[in-house]
Amino acid sequence: MIIDCHGHYTTAPELHNQWRIDQLAAFNAGEPTPAYPEITDSIIRQSIEANQLKLITERGTDLTIFSPRASAMGHHEGDQRISLEWSIACNNLIKRVVELFPETFVGVCQLPQSPGADLGESIKELQRAVTELGFIGANLNPDPSGGKWETVPLTDKFWYPLYEKLVELDVPAMVHVSASCNPNFHATGAHYMNADTTAFMQLLQGDLFKDFPTLRLIIPHGGGAVPYHWGRYRGLADMLKQPSLDTHLMNNVFFDSCVYHQPGIDLLVDVIANKNILFGSEMIGAVRGIDPQTGQYFDDTKRYIDAADVTAAEREGIFAGNARRVFPRLDEKLREQGL
């Protein structure tokens, strides 16, 4: 079985996207939020069948862990009310995708974060998404200010109520920023990579997993710069008098395989322990084109794992076993299906 841990609804219906535009326009004008549009099942089916489902079938993936479009979370726009309305709408739409394609998708939620707001609404929406919608995890934005980093590190006790709920529900969080409103940082080319690397360093500096030994965090996009500079982080841990990374972080932190060339995947599987790597593609995401050097899509990451120098057991771990361990609610769903 091949489980893609990193999928976003980047092809959401235009009616949904237009409502977001209208919602923000109404907020800026001091007017009530307009009613959410009626989106038929056929519209949702078309948006999936012509895009994600087509590529999933062609590439041989079995199941995609699916969440709202990360770059559209837009936590820096509007206020807490606006973020809550948008998150509920996005999560409800993901639920409908899962209901229409239950063998292909399983949901992960967006949280209604907002700069300066506490995490009360995020905790409520996480609870709803897991217990009512059947979702198996959440995306956590470490920078709701959209590239300004006007928040505290992930190890700060500000985040602890949310971590407590993640642990209680036994679901992981993918640490994933949204769009950048800072012109110095291109969203997917710089802001995403910066955030992945920054999150790891924040965790290295603190002792979060001493307080939450069962908390599981996924750092996407291959862990940003971390695997490439693994010696730097091992050395920094030593300089900062922290334990070895193997025990300090790597029982709780995982990287995906959203790395878009063979040498990058080869480095990832060589440097990072197999148990910490989850297959992911983020297809129809940041990099959608065809690599002129290979003639294949950049984001067809299954090809890279297939060609990587790993054992059959290690490949199975990357493709499915590790995801089932990190997402126990997914494992439970699959076991109920005899898988």
Side-chain angles (χ1 to χ4, degrees), residues 13-313:
E14 190 54 38
L15 285 168
H16 174 77
N17 299 332
Q18 184 60 51
W19 181 78
R20 172 62 164 173
I21 294 171
D22 296 342
Q23 181 210 31
L24 291 174
F27 172 80
N28 292 328
E31 299 173 354
T33 297
Y36 189 76
E38 180 180 349
I39 300 176
T40 64
D41 286 353
S42 63
I43 290 175
I44 295 174
R45 283 186 178 278
Q46 183 177 9
S47 73
I48 292 291
E49 289 174 345
N51 296 290
Q52 284 86 359
L53 191 60
K54 176 178 179 291
L55 294 178
I56 286 170
T57 302
E58 290 176 356
R59 298 177 187 181
T61 305
D62 296 301
L63 181 70
T64 296
I65 297 173
F66 209 50
S67 64
R69 185 176 184 176
S71 63
M73 293 189 296
H75 293 127
H76 59 286
E77 299 184 278
D79 60 10
Q80 177 72 98
R81 174 181 65 84
I82 292 297
S83 186
L84 178 60
E85 291 174 351
W86 177 231
S87 295
I88 290 173
C90 289
N91 292 335
N92 288 348
L93 192 61
I94 293 294
K95 173 61 173 175
R96 292 185 63 190
V97 171
V98 173
E99 288 176 337
L100 290 170
F101 302 93
E103 296 182 355
T104 307
F105 298 100
V106 63
V108 158
C109 72
Q110 171 179 318
L111 298 176
Q113 299 174 244
S114 184
D118 64 27
L119 294 170
E121 294 298 344
S122 291
I123 292 168
K124 290 178 185 177
E125 182 59 10
L126 173 63
Q127 176 81 26
R128 183 184 81 94
V130 173
T131 62
E132 297 181 25
L133 304 186
F135 287 10
I136 61 168
N139 289 337
L140 170 62
N141 188 347
D143 174 32
S145 62
K148 297 180 180 178
W149 287 96
E150 297 173 346
T151 190
V152 293
L154 290 169
T155 51
D156 191 275
K157 291 192 175 181
F158 165 80
W159 300 101
Y160 275 33
L162 180 60
Y163 296 153
E164 289 169 358
K165 181 57 68 172
L166 289 167
V167 169
E168 175 191 326
L169 295 170
D170 199 17
V171 296
M174 178 174 282
V175 181
H176 203 310
V177 288
S178 185
S180 170
C181 61
N182 187 333
N184 289 292
F185 303 119
H186 180 277
T188 58
H191 186 41
Y192 280 21
M193 302 298 106
N194 292 346
D196 301 335
T197 309
T198 297
F200 188 85
M201 188 63 205
Q202 288 178 357
L203 297 172
L204 187 157
Q205 289 176 274
D207 292 299
L208 177 63
F209 302 116
K210 182 178 179 181
D211 291 337
F212 296 97
T214 61
L215 177 65
R216 300 176 300 282
L217 300 178
I218 302 161
I219 298 181
H221 318 116
V226 174
Y228 187 73
H229 290 284
W230 193 242
R232 176 180 291 259
Y233 294 105
R234 288 177 53 243
L236 285 168
D238 181 66
M239 291 173 62
L240 295 171
K241 308 301 181 186
Q242 294 286 48
S244 166
L245 295 181
D246 292 343
T247 57
H248 185 46
L249 299 183
M250 302 310 286
N251 290 319
N252 306 84
V253 176
F254 306 87
F255 301 155
D256 72 16
S257 67
C258 294
V259 178
Y260 297 142
H261 66 153
Q262 190 67 50
I265 289 293
D266 291 343
L267 181 140
L268 180 68
V269 300
D270 184 49
V271 172
I272 302 302
N274 180 269
K275 69 181 180 67
N276 295 96
I277 304 173
L278 279 61
F279 173 68
S281 71
E282 201 176 8
M283 66 165 62
I284 316 182
V287 182
R288 304 185 183 191
I290 292 177
D291 185 343
Q293 295 181 8
T294 65
Q296 305 296 334
Y297 283 99
F298 282 103
D299 63 6
D300 186 359
T301 54
K302 180 179 178 294
R303 290 180 177 270
Y304 309 140
I305 302 299
D306 285 339
D309 185 15
V310 295
T311 67

